[in-house]
Amino acid sequence: MRCSTTATPSRSPATNAACKFWIGNIKHAATVGMVLARLVVDGQEQGHHWFRVPLRAKENEPPLPGITILSSDPKGGIQAHQVGGARFTGVRLPREALMARYSRIDADGRFSSTLPDANARFVRSIETFVQERVFPLSAGARAAELAAHLTWRFAGHRGDPPVAGPKGSSERTTVPRPAVPGPAALPRASWLVLDVLAACREMCGSQGFHSHNQIVTLRTDFEVNVTFAGDNSVMAYQVARNAARSPAFARPARTLAERVEQDLGELWRGRPDGSFTHDEAVTLVHARMLGLIMSEHDSDPQVPQPIMDDLVADFAVHRLGAVHRPLSAEREKIDFLAELLAPVPEIVSAPMVDDGYLAAFSRPA
């Protein structure tokens, strides 16, 4: 989105033509939008700032003058979410519309900021997206838990009995997740969630492809999170670029994750142009996430160490190219994880969790 604003003593800031798509709740409900725009004062670029822009007077009413609401339909998923676009043409705003945490425009049109330059203001503006990246992480955790639970329950109909999880309770225990959203966390988590959903769908065979059984629908709806709040590949490159410029730590590597990051950083800094490949950038993101998970486990262990060792070893083989070692997948460990990942019963609607599902599904019409 390219949106300029101007501010002079004689008039309020005014936005030129600009457009942004894939805005949540924009089509009918939103009455106010937070717009990230370039601020130009008396012809001088002052960097990106946030503006509070009224969109319509009330829900379901037409947009205000200068604002055109556009549709993004048809979408591949999240059909219940009214996503659309907005075009701003000559929209005039009072100077109070500028979010004034770091910058302000006084009554005489003079601009001032506590941040030194436009680049610093841009970085501060982008930091706002950190909170936005929490939502896909949380949604992904719930989706992966639900898919794993459905798959485990369905497997019980085909052989071993299902785990006795907390079916009648809303209390839950969760696998430790690092509360560190950002360029490293979002791509790693969203890619992993899609892998989990795909594996669960395949393990349920054709029943996993039935929309009533939730897994394929979860995957369709979650697909957008690879792009939402920043494309995964772009953010992985950002992480790699920062790592190539400066080492994350000066001491010798202590863990597998640190060794992978240290080796990649040395490799990139040893190249004349400091370049890296896509696969190398993705591997670094995986290593960063593994390091965060291991650190959180060390400070607040929620799974026994033997299970954690197995999970880390499996992750390292598939994501970091580590040497495979046999895993001891005893029934007790699987039961423990199944109960740990059991979702609250209110979100389980798939009929395949019921013991009599296969008989009911194959019953003659």
Side-chain angles (χ1 to χ4, degrees):
M1 174 180 182
R2 185 181 186 279
C3 181
S4 301
T5 62
T6 59
T8 66
S10 60
R11 66 179 187 272
S12 300
T15 60
N16 296 323
C19 189
K20 174 72 172 72
F21 278 93
W22 302 104
I23 308 170
N25 296 322
I26 189 72
K27 286 178 66 176
H28 308 293
T31 58
V32 175
M34 298 305 300
V35 178
L36 179 61
R38 291 171 48 242
L39 177 63
V40 181
V41 181
D42 292 334
Q44 184 175 357
E45 176 78 45
Q46 299 295 351
H48 287 73
H49 292 75
W50 286 100
F51 295 84
R52 185 181 186 275
V53 181
L55 301 174
R56 49 171 64 90
K58 295 180 181 179
E59 289 188 16
N60 299 315
E61 289 194 357
L64 296 174
I67 298 174
T68 303
I69 303 299
L70 309 165
S71 175
S72 296
D73 292 329
K75 305 183 295 295
I78 52 174
Q79 300 300 335
H81 195 32
Q82 44 160 312
V83 177
R87 174 173 288 119
F88 303 97
T89 305
V91 176
R92 300 181 66 83
L93 301 172
R95 59 188 177 84
E96 291 81 10
L98 172 66
M99 297 291 97
R101 184 175 185 180
Y102 302 109
S103 304
R104 63 186 298 270
I105 298 174
D106 65 21
D108 295 324
R110 289 187 294 265
F111 173 82
S112 61
S113 177
T114 58
L115 299 175
D117 52 41
N119 183 62
R121 293 164 203 147
F122 175 74
V123 171
R124 287 293 187 182
S125 298
I126 295 300
E127 285 178 354
T128 307
F129 288 109
V130 168
Q131 182 177 1
E132 188 177 29
R133 289 167 181 166
V134 172
F135 304 143
L137 296 177
S138 178
R142 301 289 86 76
E145 285 177 350
L146 177 56
H149 174 75
L150 297 175
T151 303
W152 177 243
R153 293 282 299 174
F154 182 64
H157 310 326
R158 309 296 295 267
D160 294 335
V163 64
K167 295 176 63 178
S169 171
S170 294
E171 295 183 2
R172 60 181 296 110
T173 308
T174 56
V175 170
R177 297 177 191 86
V180 186
L186 180 57
R188 175 67 207 108
S190 53
W191 276 327
L192 178 59
V193 169
L194 287 178
D195 288 346
V196 170
L197 295 176
C200 289
R201 208 292 300 162
E202 292 175 17
M203 284 188 282
C204 292
S206 60
Q207 296 302 324
F209 198 67
H210 201 296
S211 63
H212 290 173
N213 285 329
Q214 294 184 271
I215 297 176
V216 71
T217 307
L218 287 170
R219 179 176 171 82
T220 300
D221 286 349
F222 194 79
E223 184 75 36
V224 71
N225 288 292
V226 173
T227 305
F228 178 79
D231 180 81
N232 276 8
S233 295
V234 173
M235 287 194 288
Y237 301 159
Q238 178 183 343
V239 174
R241 190 177 297 110
N242 291 337
R245 291 172 179 169
S246 58
F249 35 81
R251 57 173 173 75
R254 298 172 181 171
T255 66
L256 172 62
E258 290 182 354
R259 288 196 298 273
V260 170
E261 176 161 355
Q262 196 170 69
D263 291 345
L264 286 172
E266 291 175 356
L267 174 66
W268 298 337
R269 287 187 290 275
R271 291 172 178 164
D273 57 356
S275 62
F276 51 82
T277 67
H278 171 81
D279 288 344
E280 290 169 349
V282 172
T283 298
L284 175 62
V285 169
H286 292 162
R288 287 273 180 96
M289 284 301 296
L290 178 59
L292 291 170
I293 292 171
M294 294 175 67
S295 176
E296 182 163 315
H297 171 75
D298 291 341
S299 62
D300 182 24
Q302 296 187 34
V303 298
Q305 191 61 48
I307 293 181
M308 189 65 183
D309 291 342
D310 284 347
L311 294 174
V312 169
D314 186 69
F315 181 92
V317 169
H318 291 94
R319 309 294 172 177
L320 303 180
V323 177
H324 174 75
R325 71 169 178 82
L327 302 180
S328 54
E330 294 95 348
R331 178 56 186 261
E332 301 81 55
K333 293 181 179 179
I334 297 175
D335 285 350
F336 177 87
L337 290 174
E339 184 169 358
L340 190 69
L341 296 173
V344 294
E346 290 81 2
I347 67 172
V348 180
S349 63
M352 70 176 180
V353 300
D354 297 329
D355 294 341
Y357 171 71
L358 288 178
F361 185 83
S362 58
R363 185 179 299 124

